[in-house]
Amino acid sequence: MASINSKQTLRRDLLLAAGLLGLGALVAIISLTEIKANHLDQIAQATPSASPEPSATPAESKPGGTRPTTPAPEPARPDVEAQKEGAKPALPPAPAEKIAPTMERK
């Protein structure tokens, strides 16, 4: 009698699994068709350029230009006065083996 009960349980579980698998596939298909339909509605159109012909040469660079930064960058190692006031360096001190000897002047 145990084999009959296990066969019924197996059949019920397989039907439930197949139903859930079919339902999942149906939801995925509906979602994909909706995504594709929405994508077609939102196609971007190119705007006409301000100049009729694109420039073959790049824009001129100006030496000594400034680069605005907001907020201003802070140094990794604050100056001596700032350290006395309590500012901590952003980076830990370098290990001794990574510090190069001082350069000699020519």
Side-chain angles (χ1 to χ4, degrees):
M1 184 150 145
S3 64
I4 295 173
N5 191 15
S6 65
K7 285 182 183 181
Q8 289 174 349
T9 304
L10 178 63
R11 175 175 281 157
R12 187 187 68 209
D13 288 346
L14 286 176
L15 284 174
L16 181 64
L20 289 174
L21 187 65
L23 184 64
L26 181 67
V27 168
I29 290 170
I30 291 171
S31 298
L32 289 174
T33 55
E34 181 126 354
I35 289 171
K36 188 169 184 169
N38 285 343
H39 176 68
L40 293 177
D41 293 343
Q42 299 174 357
I43 293 177
Q45 294 181 357
T47 57
S49 62
S51 62
E53 297 178 13
S55 175
T57 60
E60 293 182 27
S61 62
K62 298 177 182 177
T66 59
R67 295 177 61 190
T69 56
T70 307
E74 297 180 11
R77 308 244 183 255
D79 56 354
V80 179
E81 290 107 20
Q83 284 184 351
K84 287 179 184 175
E85 292 175 7
K88 295 181 181 177
L91 300 173
E97 65 270 4
K98 296 210 176 188
I99 297 176
T102 56
M103 295 179 65
E104 298 177 7
R105 293 190 179 196
K106 292 183 179 180

